[in-house]
Amino acid sequence: MPFLLSILMTCIVSLISSLRSVGLEEHFIEIWMGSWALSWVFAFPTLLLVLPLVRRLTLLVVEAP
């Protein structure tokens, strides 16, 4: 799940960021894919590191009276 989540999230966020910064220019797909690859390299390990904390926080929220 973290693997697929990181792929989808970074793909969408990098698309929006790339469109905002360069617009739909001739080499947009290459720019977007480069941006996506770089963001995924950082996002996936970060997701793996914070996942235990997020699970604990979610449990606290769900179990709160």
Side-chain angles (χ1 to χ4, degrees), residues 30-61:
E30 291 87 0
I31 293 168
W32 174 29
M33 290 295 106
S35 176
W36 169 78
L38 181 62
S39 63
W40 183 82
V41 166
F42 287 94
F44 183 58
T46 302
L47 184 59
L48 292 177
L49 288 172
V50 300
L51 191 57
L53 175 63
V54 170
R55 284 185 177 145
R56 279 186 245 130
L57 290 172
T58 302
L59 189 60
L60 288 172
V61 170

Side-chain angles (χ1 to χ4, degrees), residues 1-8 40 44 47-48:
M1 186 174 103
F3 179 73
L4 293 176
L5 180 62
S6 66
I7 288 173
L8 290 172
W40 183 82
F44 183 58
L47 184 59
L48 292 177

Side-chain angles (χ1 to χ4, degrees), residues 1-45:
M1 186 174 103
F3 179 73
L4 293 176
L5 180 62
S6 66
I7 288 173
L8 290 172
M9 288 298 295
T10 55
C11 184
I12 293 166
V13 170
S14 65
L15 170 67
I16 294 166
S17 179
S18 297
L19 276 172
R20 179 136 169 87
S21 30
V22 297
L24 282 174
E25 70 168 45
E26 184 179 347
H27 299 287
F28 175 75
I29 298 295
E30 291 87 0
I31 293 168
W32 174 29
M33 290 295 106
S35 176
W36 169 78
L38 181 62
S39 63
W40 183 82
V41 166
F42 287 94
F44 183 58

